[in-house]
Amino acid sequence: MTVQSFVYESADAASVACAHKLLELLEGALATQPRASLAVSGGSTPKRMFAEMAQSGFPWNNVHLFWVDERCVPPTDSESNYKLAKDHFIDAAHFPAANIHRIQGELAPTEAANLYAADIRSFFAISASNPTPRFDVIHRGLGPDAHTASLFPGEPLIDDHKNLAAAVYAEKFHQWRVTLLPAVLEAARHTLMLAAGADKADPLHSVLHAAYDPKKYPAQIGTYDGEGAIWFLDKAAAGTALGS
């Protein structure tokens, strides 16, 4: 497996580089099609990425923004992934409101998941001949337990390759969430993995070098074969994973 990866001195540097690549990929998509699709994740690391995107001057009118996952909280809640993007990217970039496809975390989890899946089906014109949406760019993170999106180790939904999104209860956080499912993550044209911090070193090593077992290492979903996934890491996260 050939891993596309870039290692930087700091989390900020990795985040900025990830933002630049994301913009490059969106620009490439818009050169050949009328609109582009982007799905982003939450967490603390993307804040700098979002800020870089906001000040880039990129023309966002033909980009549609989705989320990889969301906590089942109102959009004004400090834990909301939507609020994170709004505070650090959407408002400053004057991102067009009509192009925002928010997960409605304030609703009942299953209702929010169903509405989000319906929105995705509509946007991508999902049909029997076109059953899986292909996002132009999906930005994802890596958890200390090797989770990605809101797919945690042992989660039964990791085996669901039919549905697009689902409600999931994150036991370790005692919290309901809505997440994209593996078929969507695997179908992305480009996946940008952003990870920083020493607590990511061991899971990264497992994701890259252990046998394929997404039930144990969910971040292997859509990244394991090395095709289409690019890792942006700080030195602490990279650890020894890239040299083994």
Side-chain angles (χ1 to χ4, degrees):
M1 178 179 65
T2 301
V3 178
Q4 297 186 70
S5 61
F6 299 93
V7 181
Y8 300 87
E9 288 290 337
S10 67
D12 270 7
S15 299
V16 168
C18 186
H20 289 174
K21 185 63 176 180
L22 186 155
L23 296 172
E24 175 191 321
L25 293 171
L26 290 178
E27 185 175 26
L30 289 171
T32 60
Q33 59 195 44
R35 62 184 186 177
S37 53
L38 166 66
V40 297
S41 298
S44 58
T45 308
K47 287 182 182 179
R48 185 67 181 86
M49 182 190 80
F50 286 146
E52 190 72 12
M53 290 162 60
Q55 62 190 24
S56 67
F58 191 88
W60 297 106
N61 287 345
N62 295 315
V63 176
H64 283 253
L65 181 64
F66 294 78
W67 275 260
V68 171
D69 64 338
E70 179 61 281
R71 298 171 176 88
C72 289
V73 296
T76 54
D77 192 286
S78 61
E79 290 199 341
S80 165
N81 287 343
Y82 165 77
K83 185 178 189 303
L84 179 78
K86 184 177 188 296
D87 290 350
H88 297 276
F89 166 51
I90 291 171
D91 288 350
H94 304 291
F95 195 93
N99 294 7
I100 296 173
H101 301 260
R102 181 176 72 83
I103 299 172
Q104 299 179 62
E106 67 274 24
L107 302 179
T110 299
E111 182 183 4
N114 290 341
L115 286 172
Y116 191 50
D119 189 7
I120 293 171
R121 283 194 296 270
S122 176
F123 179 82
F124 287 97
I126 295 302
S127 64
S129 60
N130 176 41
T132 306
R134 290 200 73 192
F135 281 91
D136 291 302
V137 184
I138 290 185
H139 151 255
R140 288 162 47 193
L142 170 69
D145 56 0
H147 86 265
T148 194
S150 281
L151 296 171
F152 293 85
E155 172 55 53
L157 287 169
I158 291 171
D159 291 329
D160 185 342
H161 280 75
K162 178 181 178 181
N163 294 301
L164 307 181
V168 57
Y169 187 71
E171 182 65 44
K172 67 184 296 183
F173 297 110
H174 306 291
Q175 181 182 64
W176 279 97
R177 300 183 178 193
V178 172
T179 185
L180 292 179
L181 293 175
V184 181
L185 301 181
E186 291 168 349
R189 289 188 170 88
H190 302 282
T191 298
L192 303 183
M193 300 293 293
L194 176 61
D199 62 339
K200 309 299 174 61
D202 287 344
L204 177 65
H205 193 280
S206 297
V207 167
L208 297 182
H209 299 291
Y212 185 67
D213 185 357
K215 272 286 189 67
K216 190 173 183 180
Y217 310 114
Q220 290 179 330
I221 297 168
T223 68
Y224 188 74
D225 60 6
E227 293 296 324
I230 307 174
W231 292 85
F232 292 85
L233 311 162
D234 68 354
K235 282 189 171 181
T240 61
L242 303 178
S244 299

